[in-house]
Amino acid sequence: MLQAFGAGHSEAFAAELVARAGGLVPTNRLSVRDLVVHGDAPPDVLADPKLERDPSIAHQIYALAAPQPRDVFVWRPNPASTARWSSWRRWSPSAVIR
């Protein structure tokens, strides 16, 4: 499974990698919205302008993705958020493509 994530404007990058008609690779787009859609966060949490700056968000989204050992993660952060989202590397450093 190709798990793709992009923060802010980089979310379009992740969208381009997933859900392609005729694609042979299973894909999943990870999003901050997953906290509400697939998790138990209330919708108003998405209105917080500092939400993407919270390092615990990466852990929550990762848990919701239910990754398998063979999954590959591709993430494209905004330059200003690179340090905040670097915790994604912890799970599969050899499979991270930047």
Side-chain angles (χ1 to χ4, degrees):
M1 171 82 65
L2 173 68
Q3 307 267 10
F5 178 82
H9 289 96
S10 295
E11 191 172 355
F13 171 81
E16 287 294 321
L17 294 176
V18 301
R20 292 278 181 170
L24 299 176
V25 176
T27 60
N28 181 39
R29 186 175 89 183
L30 305 173
S31 171
V32 175
R33 288 183 298 280
D34 291 349
L35 299 171
V36 173
V37 176
H38 301 293
D40 58 0
D44 61 333
V45 73
L46 299 176
D48 182 357
K50 296 182 180 179
L51 180 65
E52 291 181 1
R53 297 175 187 246
D54 181 354
S56 71
I57 297 302
H59 298 277
Q60 293 174 45
I61 295 170
Y62 180 83
L64 290 171
Q68 301 296 313
R70 64 186 176 275
D71 289 359
V72 175
F73 284 81
V74 179
W75 64 282
R76 172 79 169 122
N78 290 327
S81 66
T82 300
R84 292 188 294 268
W85 289 96
S86 64
S87 59
W88 284 98
R89 292 185 203 172
R90 179 173 318 156
W91 292 291
S92 185
S94 63
V96 173
I97 301 168
R98 291 182 65 192

